[in-house]
Amino acid sequence: MNSESGNDDKGKFFKNIQALWDSQLKDSKEKWYSLGDQYWKKIEPTLNGVLGGLDFLNKIDIEESNKLLTMLYKNPLQNLRVLDCGAGIGRVSKELLIQWFKKVDLVEQNPIYVEKAKEELGDKISEYYCAGLQSFEFQHKYDCIWVQWVASHLTDDDLILFLKKCKLNLNGNGYIILKENITKQGFSYDTEDHSVIRSDAMFKQLFLKAGLDLKFSGLQPNFPKDLYQVNQYVLQ
Ligand SMILES: C[S@@+](CC[C@H](N)C(=O)[O-])C[C@H]1O[C@@H](n2cnc3c(N)ncnc32)[C@H](O)[C@@H]1O
């Protein structure tokens, strides 16, 4: 188990991440997910909403993601299928993935966001799934599985399980791309949106447990210095 300690945003100390899970999951795991779900249901279905009031980050984020896809897939619109996970209102699908992949599916827990994505993207998306990643069952194989700013909502066990399912449902040359806030060390539990920001070392340990190979890891450049760093992980 990872031995890094952490805090919540009220200053409570946890000697390791298991101590956090012991305190948060003692009633039920459903409660953890329901609190996260309730938070997102209160957040307006807009770019500003899903980006925590920082909609200017969209352009910088998408520019870098485009570079990553150019490195991995070389040419856009080959006959490939992608799944956008924790897709929110379909920001990444709209701004990036439909430019790159012939078939784009998305999975998002919040029905309000899924409706908004349907309004905006219609049949540009092949399948809309309204589900939590912790219980999502794959119905297709993918050449790319995009997991951005949602891994922090999953418990360690569920993230490992989800990544294992991703691996099983990835086509031969496909990639799982996980883009997420990271701490410099230890973890930080946000009691408002019920997410856990992990360190790079914590993520790497979870990838190992999921049986994934880390093919590339790199920080998103040009984000404001007062925000968490965002790391891009490419896995197979
Ligand atoms: C910060 S937003 C990011 C949305 C999108 N990935 C993007 O980059 O624009 C986090 C999203 O994750 C979704 N989410 C949170 N917990 C989830 C879960 N357990 N399963 C699926 N989606 C979840 C939220 O409803 C919200 O849409």
Side-chain angles (χ1 to χ4, degrees):
M1 192 189 59
N2 187 284
S3 58
E4 289 177 53
S5 60
N7 288 288
D8 70 16
D9 46 13
K10 295 177 177 145
K12 185 168 177 196
F13 174 79
F14 298 91
K15 69 176 189 294
N16 53 39
I17 192 133
Q18 191 54 48
L20 172 74
W21 300 132
D22 288 347
S23 74
Q24 293 307 307
L25 309 180
K26 66 177 184 308
D27 299 331
S28 74
K29 196 168 72 172
E30 286 66 38
K31 187 173 170 201
W32 167 265
Y33 287 113
S34 138
L35 290 169
D37 188 32
Q38 281 168 35
Y39 170 83
W40 285 106
K41 286 209 174 100
K42 287 187 301 205
I43 304 297
E44 57 172 22
T46 62
L47 204 56
N48 211 33
V50 293
L51 292 182
L54 304 170
D55 57 358
F56 66 92
L57 293 179
N58 179 54
K59 187 166 175 286
I60 323 171
D61 166 59
I62 296 292
E63 270 171 15
E64 201 56 29
S65 297
N66 251 315
K67 285 189 201 156
L68 192 64
L69 289 183
T70 307
M71 179 177 91
L72 298 172
Y73 294 89
K74 312 289 186 272
N75 302 309
L77 292 176
Q78 302 170 65
N79 194 19
L80 300 179
R81 187 168 200 150
V82 63
L83 178 67
D84 183 1
C85 301
I89 58 170
R91 179 187 71 88
V92 181
S93 289
K94 180 181 170 195
E95 308 270 337
L96 181 79
L97 302 177
I98 57 173
Q99 268 77 263
W100 272 92
F101 296 92
K102 275 270 172 63
K103 281 198 169 175
V104 181
D105 298 345
L106 66 77
V107 49
E108 161 59 42
Q109 69 174 6
N110 181 353
I112 304 164
Y113 290 172
V114 175
E115 276 315 302
K116 178 74 176 176
K118 278 187 187 163
E119 273 170 35
E120 288 253 332
L121 290 161
D123 60 11
K124 290 181 182 148
I125 302 296
S126 301
E127 305 270 6
Y128 292 88
Y129 300 106
C130 190
L133 298 185
Q134 65 281 5
S135 55
F136 179 66
E137 295 299 338
F138 282 77
Q139 290 176 28
H140 296 279
K141 294 253 180 190
Y142 292 96
D143 304 289
C144 178
I145 301 176
W146 195 276
V147 188
Q148 180 159 2
W149 282 326
V150 66
S152 61
H153 284 286
L154 297 193
T155 65
D156 284 7
D157 287 350
D158 284 342
L159 183 54
I160 293 168
L161 200 64
F162 176 68
L163 289 172
K164 282 184 177 169
K165 286 189 199 169
C166 290
K167 186 180 173 184
L168 278 176
N169 290 286
L170 200 61
N171 284 329
N173 294 322
Y175 297 103
I176 300 162
I177 300 175
L178 190 143
K179 206 163 168 173
E180 191 54 78
N181 294 345
I182 54 165
T183 63
K184 295 208 166 117
Q185 216 204 339
F187 61 91
S188 178
Y189 165 43
D190 184 325
T191 59
E192 198 188 356
D193 69 6
H194 297 276
S195 66
V196 179
I197 314 299
R198 300 173 169 97
S199 67
D200 179 55
M202 292 173 90
F203 269 115
K204 285 179 175 155
Q205 200 173 47
L206 296 177
F207 299 152
L208 207 64
K209 286 190 178 165
L212 291 168
D213 288 337
L214 182 59
K215 298 288 175 187
F216 171 85
S217 167
L219 286 176
Q220 155 81 42
N222 305 325
F223 262 26
K225 297 274 176 278
D226 55 341
L227 297 182
Y228 281 115
Q229 291 184 314
V230 172
N231 206 57
Q232 311 176 97
Y233 298 102
V234 176
L235 303 150
Q236 271 186 328

